[in-house]
Amino acid sequence: MRKSSIPSAVLLALSLAAAVGGFFVRRAQLATELLADGSLAAGSRLHIVLTIVAAVFALAAAALLFPLEKRRCWRSFFRSSPALQLPLMIAAVLLAVGNVMLLQQRAEPVEAFTQSPALANTLSALVAPLGILSGVCFAVAGFFCLSQKKPSPALYMLACLYPIVRLVSCFQAWNTDPSIHDYCYQLLAAICTMLTFLQLGGFCFDKGRRRITLFWALCGIVFNGFSLADALNGGEAATPLVTVSLLLILLTNAVMLLFPDASAPAEPQPVAGQPNSEESNEEEETT
C-alpha cells in the first residue's frame, strides 16, 4: 500500500512558508537592526526570531521525513513530466545567466585570511565559469528526463563542483568579517546547496538516499530564502538571480523527491543481512 502524501505536502508548505517568512524578517533585520559594522543594534530581537524559525523548521523536517518511504532508484522520482522538468531547466538557464553576469563583472582581488592569496583569487575566478557549467548540466539532465532517459551521473558530479568551489571561495572572504550576523545564512545556504547537489547523483546509480537528500534540499530552500534578502541588499542583479535560481533548482528536485511517480515499477526488495540491504543502510538514511 502506498504511503500517504500528507507529510510530503506539509513539508513542502512548511519549507516555502519558512523561506518566505524568513526573507521578510531578514529584510527587516538588515534595514533596522544590523549596523554597518555587522553588529546588532541595542534591543535587537529579529535574530532570535530567525534562529527559532530555522531550528523549528529543521526539527520539524527531520520528524516529518522519518516516516517517508525509502526509495533509491532514479525512475521513482525523476520522471518525464514537463511540469517538473521545464521549471528545472528554466532555473538552470537562470543560474547560467546569473553567472555570465558575474563573469562580466570585474572581480576584485580576494583579501582572505589564507597563506595563498593566489589560490584564493584562482578559486574566485573559477566560481562563475563553474556556475555556468552547473546550469548547463542541470538543463541537460532535465532534457534527458523529458526524453525518458537516465541522466549520466557525470552531469551531477560536474554540477556539484560549483557549490563546492563557491563555498570555499566565499568563506575565504566571509572569515575576514568580524560579525557572523553578516553572512551566517548565506553560509548555511551554501552548505545545504552543496550537500544536496552531492546527494542527487546517487539516484543515477540507484543508490539515492531520499530522506537525507530531502533534508538538505528543504533546508537549502529555507536558507536561500533568508539569503535572498542579503543578495537584494547588495544593489546588483547577478547575485539575486543566482540565489533565486539555486532556490528553484532545490525546489524542483525536492518536489520530485517528495512526490514519487505513482506509475514507477516497485523497487526490488533487499534481502535482510546482505551488505547492500536496506536494513544494513539504516544509519546512512537517517536524518
Side-chain angles (χ1 to χ4, degrees):
M1 182 178 294
R2 199 169 296 276
K3 295 187 177 181
S4 172
S5 62
I6 292 177
S8 297
V10 171
L11 272 168
L12 183 60
L14 280 178
S15 61
L16 293 175
V20 173
F23 167 78
F24 286 108
V25 174
R26 179 65 172 171
R27 286 279 285 181
Q29 183 190 35
L30 292 171
T32 62
E33 293 189 354
L34 203 61
L35 303 179
D37 61 356
S39 61
L40 295 173
S44 297
R45 295 289 184 272
L46 292 180
H47 65 288
I48 300 176
V49 175
L50 288 169
T51 302
I52 292 174
V53 169
V56 170
F57 174 79
L59 292 172
L64 289 170
L65 283 169
F66 185 77
L68 288 188
E69 181 183 2
K70 295 179 183 179
R71 292 193 180 193
R72 297 178 178 272
C73 296
W74 168 85
R75 66 178 178 271
S76 297
F77 302 108
F78 302 97
R79 51 198 181 273
S80 59
S81 169
L84 293 172
Q85 301 303 332
L86 289 180
L88 175 62
M89 296 171 71
I90 292 172
V93 171
L94 292 178
L95 178 61
V97 170
N99 279 282
V100 168
M101 295 169 64
L102 288 175
L103 192 61
Q104 292 175 341
Q105 298 176 3
R106 188 171 182 177
E108 298 180 357
V110 178
E111 297 179 359
F113 185 72
T114 176
Q115 294 180 346
S116 180
L119 176 60
N121 287 308
T122 300
L123 290 174
S124 179
L126 285 173
V127 171
L130 288 176
I132 297 170
L133 176 62
S134 184
V136 171
C137 288
F138 274 108
V140 173
F143 177 78
F144 269 92
C145 291
L146 278 177
S147 304
Q148 298 183 342
K149 298 178 181 178
K150 181 186 292 188
S152 169
L155 291 172
Y156 292 99
M157 293 177 185
L158 290 172
C160 75
L161 291 176
Y162 168 61
I164 293 172
V165 174
R166 180 172 179 258
L167 174 59
V168 174
S169 176
C170 290
F171 189 74
Q172 289 183 95
W174 290 335
N175 67 10
T176 63
D177 194 324
S179 174
I180 195 173
H181 297 288
D182 279 338
Y183 63 87
C184 57
Y185 301 112
Q186 293 166 287
L187 174 61
L188 291 170
I191 292 172
C192 292
T193 301
M194 177 189 70
L195 292 172
T196 303
F197 283 20
L198 287 171
Q199 293 287 343
L200 283 172
F203 291 95
C204 293
F205 294 105
D206 291 338
K207 296 293 183 183
R209 299 163 66 191
R210 182 189 185 193
R211 295 188 296 187
I212 193 65
T213 306
L214 271 170
F215 179 78
W216 294 123
L218 295 173
C219 287
I221 291 169
V222 172
F223 291 125
N224 274 290
F226 289 15
S227 300
L228 182 58
D230 296 86
L232 291 172
N233 206 41
E236 45 88 21
T239 303
L241 184 59
V242 168
T243 303
V244 169
S245 63
L246 290 173
L247 193 156
L248 291 176
I249 289 173
L250 294 174
L251 178 60
T252 52
N253 280 285
V255 169
M256 287 186 275
L257 290 171
L258 283 169
F259 304 99
D261 186 2
S263 62
E267 295 186 8
Q269 296 300 315
V271 178
Q274 290 188 354
N276 292 327
S277 68
E278 196 83 13
E279 291 81 4
S280 66
N281 291 323
E282 183 75 24
E283 293 183 0
E284 292 181 359
E285 188 73 16
T286 60
T287 57

